[in-house]
Amino acid sequence: MAADRAAVLTGGEPTADFLAGVREGVRDVLPVLLAITPFGLVTGVAAIEAGLARAPAVAMSYVVFAGTAQLAALQLIAAGSPAVVVLATAALLNARFALYSAALAPHLRPAPWPLRAWIAGTITDQSMALGSQRFGRFPERGGRVGYLTGVSSLVWLVWTSAATVGVLAGAALPPEASLEFAVPLVFLALWVGALRRGTPPVWAAAATAALVAVAARALPLNVGLLLAAFAGIAAGLAWERWRAPDARPGGRP
């Protein structure tokens, strides 16, 4: 019985391997927290600026747990967009997490379902990037479940804490201390960072999305953002398809 409880807590891995993986994951993700902390603070403040009360603003970070989707949803809420547009935009921005889960699932097979559910619910861009890098560089090293547990759990803890502080700070600000500029500034920083680390498909997607967003800014219900997201994804996929070698006879070299 004690062995069964230990297996649940360590994801089916030996306890020493699991704990070593947790420590390694925490160590690797520490530098990333320097960016996550201010992002969470701004998201919490933005929730108050969008008109949410403290309780739902705090709950949003715990339930949604997706910074980009939260900021986009808050911007649409502040602009008075219908719920269907807000939900569709958030779902579109979060669709990538289904791909992340599929990519990391083989490394979590030893884990029981409660631990798999926790990691799936707390997966982030950072855990995907760090996990893929670690598993690719050290394919024989154990502690994979522990590594993902350490990375995802620490990111979740820091993000929700920072967002909660942002909510409380935003609620304490006087009405004349308007911070509407914070949301577009954060998106601009994310956009610039993605372009600096990006590839031609990323650049094509960003340029197309920006053009469509500007051209569709006058559309009703603020659906221009949703159209821009679809257009950017389509442009990035089209670029990859066009540049990819065609395996068919007579195809593009």
Side-chain angles (χ1 to χ4, degrees):
M1 185 65 68
D4 292 342
R5 288 197 296 268
V8 171
L9 293 175
T10 63
E13 296 176 334
T15 302
D17 287 350
F18 180 85
L19 294 178
V22 170
R23 289 192 296 267
E24 185 182 356
V26 169
R27 181 200 66 198
D28 289 350
V29 82
L30 282 177
V32 181
L33 302 181
L34 296 176
I36 291 176
T37 301
F39 193 8
L41 288 170
V42 170
T43 302
V45 174
I48 296 299
E49 288 290 315
L52 272 66
R54 288 187 184 183
V58 170
M60 186 179 189
S61 293
Y62 285 84
V63 175
V64 178
F65 187 55
T68 306
Q70 284 179 238
L71 283 176
L74 290 170
Q75 196 169 28
L76 291 171
I77 291 171
S81 299
V84 64
V85 175
V86 176
L87 293 175
T89 301
L92 178 63
L93 292 174
N94 283 344
R96 68 188 186 280
F97 293 117
L99 300 177
Y100 293 173
S101 296
L104 294 176
H107 305 291
L108 298 174
R109 284 175 183 157
W113 73 264
L115 191 52
R116 290 201 307 269
W118 168 252
I119 296 175
T122 56
I123 192 172
T124 62
D125 297 317
Q126 293 78 21
S127 53
M128 175 63 188
L130 291 173
S132 298
Q133 182 180 10
R134 194 263 198 185
F135 302 152
R137 291 179 59 191
F138 309 106
E140 303 302 323
R141 184 179 297 178
R144 297 187 176 194
V145 177
Y147 186 87
L148 290 175
T149 301
V151 172
S152 297
S153 299
L154 187 56
V155 170
W156 179 87
L157 177 63
V158 171
W159 170 266
T160 52
S161 300
T164 301
V165 172
V167 168
L168 299 178
L173 290 174
E176 59 271 16
S178 180
L179 294 177
E180 289 90 347
F181 65 89
V183 175
L185 282 182
V186 171
F187 274 120
L188 183 61
L190 293 173
W191 186 59
V192 171
L195 291 182
R196 289 181 61 185
R197 301 186 302 269
T199 57
V202 173
W203 301 332
T208 302
L211 291 173
V212 173
V214 172
R217 66 186 184 280
L219 291 178
L221 305 180
N222 294 289
V223 297
L225 179 62
L226 194 58
L227 291 177
F230 277 116
I233 293 172
L237 292 175
W239 183 280
E240 284 190 334
R241 176 68 176 173
W242 176 64
R243 294 295 299 174
D246 195 333
R248 292 172 300 179
R252 274 180 57 88

